[in-house]
Amino acid sequence: MAQRYIVKSCLSGDTLILRGRPTPGQPPKERVAHIAEITAPRLGSSQRDDEPFAFESREYLRALTVGKEITFESTYSVPSNDGVPRDVGIATLNGQDLTNEILKNGWAKLKENKREATDEDIQRRAIEADAKANSRGIWNADGLVAKAFVEVRLLQRPVTVTLLSVPPPPAASFGSSSDTAPAATTFIGTCIHAQGGNIAEHLAGSGLAKALEWHAGMLSDHGGLEKVKAAERGAKEKRLNLHSTAAQPSNGSQKAAGTPAGPSQRTEFEGQVIRIWSSDQVSIWDDVAGKDRRVQLSSVRGPRGNDPKQAGYAAEAKEFLRKKLIGKNVTVKVDFVRPPEGEYESRECATITLPGQKTSVAEQLIEKGLATAVRHRRDDENRSPDYDKLIAAEQAAASASKGLHSGKDIALPRIVNVSETHSKASQFLPSYKRAGKIPAVVDYVAAGSRFKLLFTRDNQNITFVLSGIRAPRTARAGEKPEPCGEESSQFSTRRYLQRDVEVHIEAVDKTGGFIGTLYLTKPDKTVENAAVALTKEGLAYVHHHSAESLPWSKQLFDAETEAKEAKRGVWKNYVEEAEVEVVEQDAGALKTQYLDVIISDVRTAPQFGFSVQTLNSEGIANLEKLMREFSLHHRGAIKSPPSFSPKPGDLVSARFSADNSWYRGKIRKIVGKAEYDVVFIDYGNQETVSLANIRPLDEKFRGLAGQAQDARLSFVKLLDASSDYFDDAIDRFRSICEGRKLIANIDAREGPVLHLRLIDPSDAGSPTDSINTQLVREGLAVIDRKGCKYLSSYAQIYKRLQDDTAEAKKSRSGMYEFGDISPEDD
């Protein structure tokens, strides 16, 4: 039966003297315990010398067990000649089998057993084999040579010792009557022997010792570890003793992979820092390779943002790197390439320095207490060449209780999303306009002219759109990018991402995005207007109507003219004659473009709108085929992964409540706990759907673009919800349009929204007849002069609408039932 004992002393590397618990009136009983299955080197006596490593083996077991409580289970007893019981058995310390611990550290050999090997025997043989392979303990033949090397030079010789570190004293042993713990007996220091020279350097130079990186901090004032490592490198090159079978030193994985084959594989280059990914990773633009290279700081471990205790420091470290590096030219030396591991790709690990600075960025980061040095394995050659300095910097930061070493938790600041809704953004607009130029940081680039900005002073972020221009769209789900869309986005990313900028806000759009001007102060102190810069590079179109009112409109138009003449970007295939024709066409009505459509959805909130599907098109045929496959797909039990949490903009499968069927949808926004606003992209319907009725959209159903297009009525608008005739207007529109094949003409485009003139093919008389004019004539819609700036381009239709309005008033139709009062008269 297993019993608990206190270890009184250690006789050898496999034998202990155990003391039981005292009983009243009697001293505690003792017994000798031999640890089963192993044999350790024997200490000498008057008749024999010590066996090799006998002292070291006993010291290991002594330091591990003396004064501590262990559990011992006797397997069998052996004869005793002094009256003290002797047992062979299994001992455990804190749940760890001492047999395995001693074998693992190489301080004993496994006994040979004639019985059939058990699983436990096989495990212990594997532990012993690992200790042999790594030359631990008694399996380290070089240890004896090293001991002799030191004895010849130091034993009974005068030496100079400098103490560098004293470890904290251990806890008092069990049953000790002393009020204080025994003094520590292991010190760390340097030892200079009589003939001169540091014994550590001589040992390393002879291949009989390896440098310990974690001593770098203690030796930083003496430069001691650098000398030891230099001696160690010499021993490696000569393959002395410990290094006799080691591979030749390399500069990391780069050499192992062969000679660099091109510019993107150069191990040293200069470039501009364009992005800070985290507290230890950055992207640098390599001009020679013509691409950005994402690198990690060598031998640096930054605080993790997903750890609540480190998140505040992770943000502080990232901001430190942003202020120090973003937009700066740096020198990069790739030390090694970390191989891919699990879900992580391979990563270049590098030392980064700023011009004119001798201290690396990594060392400065660690000095601030905002990162730590990675603890490499002894045989790991893939490390920073300044590793000693990093260790020293970490020790200095720890001594000064800086950052991560302070023991304090830093909370992440709470950031308010001002652009969450249009109404929320509108509340802030007056104060932003009064503030003039507002300092900000570009937190994210969504497209060439669309950004996420952070106001660090007020902990606010906003969506920001450049006024006066429109950048080409980047690729979206199921859609191809517009020409130069990706180039425009990359230009803004390289130029403005994470930069300190100033913005002047002028207005807010219907989604809560702020419209205005973004200014960047360049290193030469000149100020760059982002809209002008994009236009000059041919990466944006000037929106002439809105640009004319800007105080810097001339710069914008001149930039566009320059880009056209140089045939840059979107103007690569520009032909002046064709442009004149387009301008003339845009000045008037759009070219007539009739489509056969069906109204697929009518919405009344937050304002009136509808969606259409274009008939007689390849898309509808493809949609019918897709929906058949989609229906079959969802007959089975489709489960979401445990981590499924859709975000706004994600394509999903969603169940529509009206018919309980599954359709393709897109997340508009999160409206509550496990509830989402979803728009069904093939029909235009919108509703709030619970997470239980949402699934990830399978990749095979993503290829076809959504078949529903958002639309509104050209020239007119229905009465709003505040009118007593709002319900009548909605009902009338539904009765005329829903479930019927109509003809539509596109009169204007407002982003993704089509301005349509709807025509009933069975009730079309004159060219100006339409459902739009019919609703005005019935007093259920009014001319939308504010929302339809193109009215003057359709003079004939405008005249017809004015006549229909007069007729509605005269006949007291709809809202004119009780007098000549209409929204535009208010």
Side-chain angles (χ1 to χ4, degrees), residues 435-446:
K437 287 185 178 181
I438 305 173
V441 175
V442 178
D443 195 41
Y444 177 70
V445 176

Side-chain angles (χ1 to χ4, degrees), residues 280 295-301 333-336 348-352 360 362-363 366 372-374 376 382-387 390:
D280 54 15
V295 302
Q296 180 164 340
L297 298 178
S298 294
S299 301
V300 172
R301 177 176 286 113
K333 293 182 179 179
V334 179
D335 304 317
F336 58 94
E348 290 182 317
C349 297
T351 299
I352 299 175
S360 70
E363 187 177 347
I366 292 176
T372 57
V374 174
H376 294 283
N382 289 336
R383 62 182 67 191
S384 168
D386 297 332
Y387 190 67
L390 301 186

